[in-house]
């Protein structure tokens, strides 16, 4: 069975986490989605690109999540989430997925 690319996992975690939190009105459930997808992506980052790259991409994932909050006040929630997800997906692809 083929693995889902880490770039898709990371972007899906950000978008899915926000979607679950918004639609269920339970932020904790969104956090579970965000954390689970981030952990799965981090495992692939480590396997494909090594520990330092995985650490840097994990920092980027968390920074994208945190940065989407103030950005949402300026451009709206969904555009901010999609922008953050796209940035993390691009970084993930460039560092880990394009090699595989």
């Amino acid at each position: 069975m083929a693995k889902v690319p880490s770039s898709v996992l990371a972007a899906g975690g950000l978008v899915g986490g926000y979607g679950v939190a918004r639609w269920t009105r339970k932020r904790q459930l969104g956090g579970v989605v965000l954390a689970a997808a981030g952990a799965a992506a981090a495992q692939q980052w480590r396997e494909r690109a090594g520990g330092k790259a995985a650490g840097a991409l994990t920092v980027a994932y968390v920074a994208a999540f945190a940065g989407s909050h103030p950005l949402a006040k300026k451009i709206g929630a969904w555009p901010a989430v999609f922008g953050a997800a796209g940035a993390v997906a691009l970084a993930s692809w460039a560092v880990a997925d394009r090699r595989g």
Side-chain angles (χ1 to χ4, degrees):
M1 183 173 174
K3 284 186 177 180
V4 175
S6 62
S7 55
V8 174
L9 285 172
L14 290 164
V15 172
Y18 175 69
V20 167
R22 181 171 178 143
W23 290 313
T24 64
R25 297 188 177 174
K26 297 192 185 311
R27 294 177 73 183
Q28 298 85 352
L29 289 178
V32 169
V33 172
L34 180 80
Q43 182 179 0
Q44 286 191 24
W45 293 330
R46 192 172 25 262
E47 290 170 2
R48 293 180 181 169
K52 287 184 181 181
L57 287 168
T58 299
V59 168
Y61 184 75
V62 172
F65 167 70
S68 69
H69 289 80
L71 185 59
K73 294 179 191 290
K74 295 180 189 252
I75 65 171
W78 280 112
V81 170
F82 285 130
V88 169
L90 182 61
S92 179
W93 177 82
V95 173
D97 290 343
R98 77 176 162 158
R99 295 178 183 177

